[in-house]
Amino acid sequence: MKEHFKRNSYQYALLLLLVVLMVIMEFLAPGKFLTIKNFKNMSFQMAEFGILAIGMSIVIMTGGINLSIVNSAMLASIVSALVMRTLYNGGNGMADVPCIIIGIVVTIAVAVVCGLFNGFFVAYIGILPMLATLGSQTVFDGISLNITRGSSVSGFPKLFQKIGNGTIGNIPYTLIIYIAVIIASYFLIERTRWGISVYMVGGNEKATRFSGINTKKTVMMVYVFSAVLAGISGILMTSRYNSAKADYGSSYTMQAVAATVLGGTSISGGSGHVLGTVIAVCIIQVISSGFNILKVNRNFTDIATGLILVVVLALNFLISGRKKKSN
């Protein structure tokens, strides 16, 4: 028990910070923050953001980064939206359920292509992840804008809206999907051989390669998995807004990086936990929701997120520096 607490002390500290922030927000907005209605509203947005953050954290565990994660989500959503709108044809075409299923399949398929694109240039060509995904960010965004001419795409079956807005009692469907993604990602990354190889690549890519692990394939699959999660998030966003547009979720990229680093994932790779990222997502969402209730300018949420990222990176740098000196 003592060893478990020591090993996961950072995550417990994050949980404590989360509780403290919730208490502070309730103190500042009595009877408004700790309510079922507010938690329900938080769940809708937290799911799409949280899934993107998990996708980002897995890439950062390898020592990489995916700056195009939101852009790939939106490109996949836009292509899917156009397919669904064409098939549905204002209610005169294909029935709701098969139309939605095809739309979801198209979203994931396009997302996989985006992941393969990033993975190929990072793993097989050897371009730095930041530069490769910065380039693909522009490519994906350019394709999205060219397809839509900057406007939104709508005209889906009404049933599709229930994915992003429906509930079972007071529990949103999006929260159920998010929990399923958390569980799947946790076991895949922390309980499988492939997951171990992800950590190994982030810790020492050369040593991992010499140990017989196909590091290029591992990195390729990391970017594909990240893109699939982006596609799932894109489905939730498209359903919640009942439309798809190139600039939806534009602030999520930096927030996903902030949540990953705050959650304890090393920006240089080799360490990190899915659950740490999940708790960090909750912390950022509490801040965002609290600011909204307090009617604080929305831009301050981005300022707070940026400050969190800078402070955590600075602390990690100082701590790692001290450890090197002591060794």
Side-chain angles (χ1 to χ4, degrees):
M1 185 67 180
K2 187 178 179 181
E3 183 64 29
H4 170 80
F5 184 80
K6 187 177 179 181
R7 191 170 60 250
N8 298 285
S9 59
Y10 185 77
Q11 293 178 45
Y12 283 115
L14 283 178
L15 275 174
L16 180 61
L17 175 60
L18 176 61
V19 172
V20 169
L21 281 173
M22 291 173 71
V23 171
I24 291 172
M25 291 302 178
E26 177 62 19
F27 176 76
L28 294 174
K32 293 182 180 179
F33 188 83
L34 295 178
T35 63
I36 293 175
K37 182 182 178 181
N38 184 48
F39 282 120
K40 188 176 173 181
N41 291 334
M42 285 172 61
S43 298
F44 284 114
Q45 189 174 359
M46 185 168 62
E48 57 200 40
F49 163 43
I51 292 171
L52 286 171
I54 292 172
M56 181 68 79
S57 67
I58 292 168
V59 174
I60 291 179
M61 284 175 192
T62 64
I65 195 168
N66 186 0
L67 297 176
S68 66
I69 192 166
V70 173
N71 306 85
S72 58
M74 287 303 96
L75 176 58
S77 298
I78 286 168
V79 174
S80 171
L82 290 170
V83 170
M84 280 196 290
R85 184 173 71 178
T86 302
L87 293 175
Y88 186 59
N89 192 24
N92 298 315
M94 187 177 286
D96 289 14
V97 174
C99 180
I100 292 169
I101 292 173
I102 291 173
I104 291 172
V105 170
V106 169
T107 303
I108 301 302
V110 174
V112 167
V113 172
C114 291
L116 289 170
F117 183 88
N118 282 330
F120 173 75
F121 284 103
V122 173
Y124 291 93
I125 302 300
I127 300 175
L128 289 173
M130 181 175 286
L131 297 179
T133 58
L134 185 63
S136 63
Q137 179 188 60
T138 307
V139 171
F140 300 157
D141 196 42
I143 295 171
S144 298
L145 289 170
N146 193 52
I147 292 172
T148 62
R149 304 298 178 187
S151 60
S152 61
V153 181
S154 57
F156 322 128
K158 288 185 177 180
L159 185 62
F160 183 67
Q161 297 178 43
K162 289 190 175 182
I163 297 174
N165 298 287
T167 62
I168 299 176
N170 286 313
I171 303 173
Y173 293 140
T174 53
L175 184 59
I176 296 171
I177 294 169
Y178 181 36
I179 291 171
V181 168
I182 292 170
I183 294 170
S185 300
Y186 172 79
F187 281 102
L188 187 63
I189 296 300
E190 302 191 27
R191 291 291 184 271
T192 66
R193 283 186 177 182
W194 178 73
I196 294 170
S197 68
V198 169
Y199 285 111
M200 290 175 68
V201 168
N204 191 322
E205 192 272 338
K206 186 179 287 187
T208 304
R209 188 171 68 251
F210 286 141
S211 71
I213 294 174
N214 188 335
T215 56
K216 291 182 178 180
K217 184 179 178 182
T218 299
V219 173
M220 169 68 87
M221 292 309 299
V222 163
Y223 281 90
V224 170
F225 184 66
S226 176
V228 168
L229 294 188
I232 295 171
S233 179
I235 292 168
L236 300 186
M237 277 189 270
T238 303
S239 176
R240 189 162 73 92
Y241 295 126
N242 195 29
S243 63
K245 195 177 180 183
D247 62 357
Y248 284 169
S250 57
S251 64
Y252 284 155
T253 301
M254 187 52 64
Q255 288 184 6
V257 174
T260 298
V261 175
L262 178 61
T265 300
S266 172
I267 200 71
S268 58
S271 65
H273 297 281
V274 171
L275 295 181
T277 301
V278 172
I279 299 168
V281 166
C282 292
I283 289 172
I284 292 174
Q285 188 59 52
V286 164
I287 294 171
S288 176
S289 180
F291 280 5
N292 186 48
I293 290 172
L294 295 170
K295 297 181 180 179
V296 176
N297 190 310
R298 187 174 178 81
N299 293 326
F300 280 99
T301 302
D302 295 332
I303 294 172
T305 303
L307 286 173
I308 288 171
L309 179 58
V310 171
V311 170
V312 172
L313 284 173
L315 288 173
N316 287 343
F317 179 78
L318 292 171
I319 291 168
S320 61
R322 286 183 179 180
K323 283 183 178 179
K324 286 179 181 179
K325 284 181 180 180
S326 62
N327 291 333

